């Protein structure tokens, strides 16, 4: 099996850093709008192939994936990294920016999974790392579009992991941490701090975790402890405060 890893948003930040880190051990298929940056960075490197892709255009995403399937066949590793971060309070947020955030940060990664999962199921192998953030767990003011889109990605990831539970397919979330990127130029850490977590998730064995959230080597719970809630009966035990 060829160790082909597809990385979106590979022209800068975490995506570019991961492409540098993985090239050589993997055959890297690097996608980004600013494809010339990738080609300049990896000029003459046979382990990296670069392709232009605008994730805000759903039709272009589908066309690109059709081309990837024809070019490479089975792609066993996927890192959904590309993202956008629009800062605005909800009452000032342009609905087009909200829709665009959801498209790039959640819908497009879901399309990538939809297209690559059938072959992963056929070959009974796949490792998917969806780059997320602590934002949907913290919900900082002014970042509602980003937090909502990453929350959607989190939910899609956990759902897909459960749907693939009978296969040797591991679908997990990784927050790279407070790393310096174009979206966060003042962050304190270099993107390389996420390498050990990324390596761990790409190299998971058949009994490894799936549908989980990882951050700088830690596994972080995505959901509160909901034991004691009977959803279909509309009841909860005494651990939960009843207000009416």
């Amino acid at each position: 099996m060829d160790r082909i890893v597809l990385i979106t948003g590979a022209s800068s930040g975490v995506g570019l850093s991961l492409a540098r880190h993985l090239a050589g051990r993997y055959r890297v298929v690097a996608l980004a709008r600013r494809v010339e940056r990738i080609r300049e960075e990896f000029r003459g490197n046979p382990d990296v192939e670069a392709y232009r892709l605008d994730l805000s255009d759903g039709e272009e995403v589908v066309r690109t994936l059709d081309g990837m399937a024809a070019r490479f066949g089975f792609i066993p590793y996927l890192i959904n990294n590309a993202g956008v971060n629009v800062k605005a309070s909800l009452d000032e947020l342009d609905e087009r920016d909200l829709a665009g955030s959801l498209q790039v940060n959640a819908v497009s990664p879901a399309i990538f999974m939809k297209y690559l999962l059938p072959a992963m199921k056929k070959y009974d192998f796949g490792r998917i790392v969806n780059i997320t953030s602590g934002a949907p767990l913290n919900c900082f003011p002014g970042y509602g579009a980003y937090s909502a889109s990453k929350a959607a990605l989190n939910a899609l990831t956990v759902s897909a992991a459960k749907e693939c539970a009978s296969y040797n397919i591991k679908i997990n979330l990784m927050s790279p941490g407070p790393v310096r990127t174009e979206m966060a130029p003042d962050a304190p850490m270099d993107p390389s701090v996420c390498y050990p977590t990324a390596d761990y998730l790409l190299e998971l064995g058949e009994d490894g975790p799936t549908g989980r959230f990882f951050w700088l080597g830690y596994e972080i719970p995505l959901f509160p402890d909901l034991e004691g809630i009977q959803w279909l009966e509309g009841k909860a035990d005494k651990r939960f405060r009843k207000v009416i």
Side-chain angles (χ1 to χ4, degrees), residues 105-119:
N105 295 347
V107 176
S108 288
I111 295 173
F112 269 85
M113 289 193 289
K114 173 182 170 66
Y115 267 70
L116 298 188
L117 278 171

Side-chain angles (χ1 to χ4, degrees), residues 8-233:
T8 66
S11 64
S12 65
V14 171
L16 176 58
S17 187
L18 284 172
R20 290 170 178 156
H21 174 63
L22 297 173
R25 290 185 292 138
Y26 295 81
R27 183 179 177 188
V28 176
V29 179
L31 283 71
R33 287 182 299 109
R34 298 173 298 187
V35 69
E36 67 281 352
R37 288 189 174 190
I38 307 173
R39 290 172 178 161
E40 181 63 29
E41 172 76 22
F42 296 102
R43 189 179 301 278
N45 188 333
D47 294 320
V48 180
E49 294 189 35
Y51 296 87
R52 185 188 184 281
L53 175 63
D54 183 353
L55 287 177
S56 67
D57 185 337
E59 292 183 357
E60 183 178 333
V61 172
V62 171
R63 288 195 302 270
T64 299
L65 283 165
D66 285 339
M68 295 291 101
R71 172 74 176 85
F72 299 103
F74 176 40
I75 299 175
Y77 301 91
L78 168 64
I79 300 177
N80 274 314
N81 165 75
V84 295
N85 184 3
V86 177
K87 184 178 181 181
S89 61
L90 190 59
D91 58 336
E92 297 176 343
L93 179 64
D94 189 310
E95 59 268 26
R96 291 169 295 185
D97 287 334
L98 175 57
S101 297
L102 289 164
Q103 176 66 44
V104 172
N105 295 347
V107 176
S108 288
I111 295 173
F112 269 85
M113 289 193 289
K114 173 182 170 66
Y115 267 70
L116 298 188
L117 278 171
M120 291 181 177
K121 289 180 177 179
K122 176 182 176 180
Y123 289 96
D124 194 29
F125 184 88
R127 299 293 181 266
I128 298 175
V129 180
N130 290 330
I131 303 300
T132 187
S133 166
L137 305 181
N138 298 309
C139 297
F140 292 120
Y143 294 93
Y146 184 71
S147 296
S149 61
K150 289 299 187 180
L153 176 65
N154 292 357
L156 288 163
T157 298
V158 175
S159 295
K162 290 179 178 179
E163 291 163 2
C164 295
S166 61
Y167 297 90
N168 183 18
I169 298 173
K170 308 300 177 185
I171 309 173
N172 287 293
L173 294 152
M174 183 185 85
S175 173
V179 298
R180 286 185 298 278
T181 66
E182 290 180 355
M183 283 198 298
D186 298 323
M189 297 183 181
D190 186 82
S192 60
V193 298
C194 75
Y195 292 171
T197 308
D199 289 342
Y200 168 75
L201 294 174
L202 291 172
E203 299 293 341
L204 284 172
E206 190 168 355
D207 59 348
T210 190
R212 311 283 185 82
F213 180 109
F214 296 89
W215 168 78
L216 296 177
Y218 295 94
E219 182 177 341
I220 306 298
L222 270 176
F223 307 107
D225 179 4
L226 300 178
E227 184 179 354
I229 296 180
Q230 302 173 48
W231 294 105
L232 297 181
E233 290 77 19

